[in-house]
Structures are given as structure tokens and as C-alpha cells.
């Protein structure tokens, strides 16, 4: 299927590895130019070069910055050769806050989580959504977490911050921008093979006094698909939500978790 987005510009956060990289790769495969942002300059540069090599004619511009800061966002919008703030597609994605016990978190810990996983995506949306509406096309996909629908006790910081973003998006997606070709959706990953998953499972293993493999195997068995997800398949879902064909999908929370969530709705 031709997704109808060739030649457009996308901003992808956390794009040096994991789910962000999977999204950048999938968009580039559709002919989308990507501005890739992450904090690790070396890994980011290598990822951008690999995308250009795999998809000649597509631009992949790496910006080594912290997207959760005003300075980082300014660097993204000022990227040489990029579209400024005239992005057609924005994929917000920042590393989740660490697991732990809420009794050990102070106000600064909570503010850091909100900055990274709620307020930073809102700032990116604020900077780009009106331009999208003026041009008559825009796709915003927020990578959040399956924990929004099925919270995990040790991910309290993520549960709170990402649920706040979800509530904000629910209202904005149904505003006047919906009639101007702009969609906003959240993409909720379950258990995917990422550094984030390995960190979370490692924390559980330590807390429960078990081996990492024992915890990982137990988690796989709780997924009807009996496996963890792959970043490439996640990226393909993201690319479809950014497609011309997905223009009638907005304000949704798309759960990709191998069937782990047990609810009907």
C-alpha cells in the first residue's frame, strides 16, 4: 500500500534506537524525510546514516539534543536543511521515567517525569499543530505506554505523566483541527524488546529476588502472543497512523501489546 506521505517531513523523538528508530525507519521506507532527535550523538549519527543508505533520496537529519528541554526543541526546529517548524508528521517519544516506589519520589522527581512525558510532547504539538492545520495535513503520534490502560505498580511516574498527556490529547484531537486534516493519536506499546523493557524487568527481578530470565519468561507467558514485540512492527503501525489513509482516525489510543490487555474496550 502506498501510504501517500512520500516527500513529507517528520520529526521523530528517541530515534537512535528502539521504538523511535523503528518509527523513523518505517517512515523513511515510505519516502518521508526525517529529523531524528536523541541524546546519544554517536548512535544517532549511525542510525541516520543507515537510513540514508537504505533509502536513497530520503533525508535523515540527526539532531543530538534533549527534546524535553527548551534548548533541545530549539535545536530541532533550527536543524540545517530541515523544515523549521513546518513538520507534516511529529512522533513524540521520550524515555520513560525509572520504576520504583512512590514513597521515594519527591516533587522534583515528579516534575521531571511530567516534563519529559507530558509537557514536552505538548510543547511539540503546540509548536507544529497550527502550521499543519494551515497546510491541510498533519499527523501527530505520541508514543506513550500500555501502562496507560493497564498500569504497573512500579511505573507510577510513567502511569501518571502519560495518562495526563492522554487526557490532554483526547480534548485537542477533537477540536477544530480535526476538520483541517490534522489527526492526533497515541500509540501504546506493550512489551517490546527495548532497553526500557530490560530496565523494567531488571528492576522487578531485583525486587523479587529472581533472575532476569525468569522474570522475562514469566512476562512472555502473560502475553497471548507468547513473545515480546519487535520495533519494526511497531514502526509499521506508526507509519500507517501517519498515512493519508488514516485521516479518519483521531483521538485514539492504539494498543500494541500482543493481546495482553484483557479488557473488551
Amino acid at each position: 500500500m502506498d501510504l501517500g506521505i512520500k516527500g513529507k517531513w517528520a520529526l521523530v523523538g528517541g530515534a537512535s534506537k528502539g521504538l523511535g528508530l523503528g518509527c523513523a525507519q518505517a517512515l523513511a521506507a515510505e519516502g518521508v524525510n526525517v529529523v531524528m532527535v536523541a541524546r546519544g550523538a554517536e548512535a544517532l549519527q549511525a542510525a541516520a546514516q543507515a537510513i540514508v543508505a537504505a533509502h536513497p533520496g530520503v533525508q535523515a537529519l540527526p539532531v543530538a539534543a534533549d527534546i524535553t528541554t527548551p534548548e533541545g526543541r530549539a535545536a530541532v526546529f533550527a536543524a540545517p536543511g530541515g523544515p523549521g517548524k513546518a513538520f507534516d508528521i511529529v512522533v513524540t517519544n521520550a524515555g520513560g521515567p525509572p520504576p520504583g516506589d512512590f514513597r521515594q519520589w519527591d516533587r522534583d522527581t515528579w516534575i521531571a517525569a511530567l516534563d519529559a512525558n507530558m509537557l514536552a510532547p505538548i510543547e511539540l504539538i503546540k509548536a507544529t499543530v497550527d502550521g499543519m492545520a494551515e497546510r491541510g495535513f498533519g499527523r501527530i503520534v505520541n508514543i506513550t505506554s500500555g501502562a496507560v490502560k493497564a498500569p504497573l505498580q512500579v511505573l507510577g511516574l510513567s502511569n501518571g505523566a502519560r495518562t495526563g498527556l492522554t487526557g490532554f490529547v483526547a480534548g485537542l484531537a477533537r477540536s477544530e483541527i480535526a476538520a483541517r486534516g490534522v489527526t492526533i493519536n497515541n500509540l501504546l506499546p506493550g512489551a517490546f524488546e527495548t532497553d526500557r523493557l530490560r530496565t523494567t524487568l531488571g528492576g522487578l527481578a531485583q525486587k523479587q529476588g529472581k533472575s532476569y530470565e525468569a522474570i522475562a519468561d514469566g512476562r512472555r507467558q502473560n502475553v497471548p502472543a507468547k513473545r515480546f514485540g519487535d520495533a519494526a512492527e511497531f514502526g509499521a503501525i506508526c507509519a500507517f497512523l501517519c498515512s493519508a489513509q488514516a485521516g479518519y482516525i483521531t483521538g485514539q489510543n492504539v494498543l500494541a501489546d500482543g493481546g495482553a490487555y484483557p479488557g473488551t474496550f
Side-chain angles (χ1 to χ4, degrees):
M1 179 187 293
D2 180 355
L3 298 187
I5 49 178
K6 183 177 181 180
K8 294 191 180 298
W9 276 94
L11 166 61
V12 182
S16 64
K17 58 185 178 180
L19 301 183
L21 177 56
C23 292
Q25 291 170 330
L27 288 168
E30 295 297 324
V32 176
N33 303 305
V34 289
V35 173
M36 304 166 62
V37 59
R39 288 174 293 180
E42 185 175 348
L44 182 64
Q45 183 69 36
Q49 290 174 348
I51 284 178
V52 171
H55 307 290
V58 165
Q59 296 185 63
L61 307 180
V63 178
D66 183 350
I67 198 69
T68 68
T69 67
E71 296 79 12
R73 291 188 289 275
V76 167
F77 294 130
K85 292 185 179 180
F87 286 98
D88 307 292
I89 295 166
V90 173
V91 180
T92 75
N93 178 38
D101 186 331
F102 81 96
R103 296 170 184 84
Q104 299 173 355
W105 300 330
D106 58 17
R107 176 179 173 80
D108 289 342
T109 305
W110 276 105
I111 294 300
L114 291 169
D115 273 340
N117 298 118
M118 178 181 173
L119 299 180
I122 291 174
E123 288 294 334
L124 292 172
I125 294 169
K126 179 181 176 181
T128 58
V129 70
D130 290 334
M132 292 177 177
E134 289 173 6
R135 296 187 298 275
F137 180 93
R139 300 288 185 265
I140 297 171
V141 177
N142 303 298
I143 299 177
T144 61
S145 170
V148 170
K149 288 182 68 71
L152 297 174
Q153 179 184 346
V154 297
L155 296 182
L157 291 169
S158 179
N159 297 339
R162 296 190 194 278
T163 301
L165 175 64
T166 302
F168 170 79
V169 166
L172 179 60
R174 293 167 174 85
S175 69
E176 69 280 357
I177 64 170
R180 302 182 68 184
V182 181
T183 69
I184 310 179
N185 293 289
N186 304 312
L187 185 47
L188 285 57
F192 279 77
E193 285 279 7
T194 63
D195 289 347
R196 169 70 168 170
L197 177 67
R198 287 184 280 272
T199 298
T200 301
L201 295 182
L204 287 172
Q206 184 176 19
K207 182 177 181 180
Q208 297 179 20
K210 297 180 180 179
S211 71
Y212 175 87
E213 278 306 318
I215 294 294
D217 287 342
R219 182 71 180 274
R220 291 188 192 97
Q221 292 306 309
N222 286 330
V223 179
K226 302 304 180 187
R227 66 178 178 88
F228 294 145
D230 176 81
E233 61 188 332
F234 185 87
I237 301 169
C238 180
F240 177 75
L241 289 175
C242 296
S243 72
Q245 292 89 338
Y248 209 53
I249 302 173
T250 195
Q252 301 304 304
N253 293 291
V254 180
L255 183 62
D257 70 348
Y261 176 67
T264 302
F265 301 105

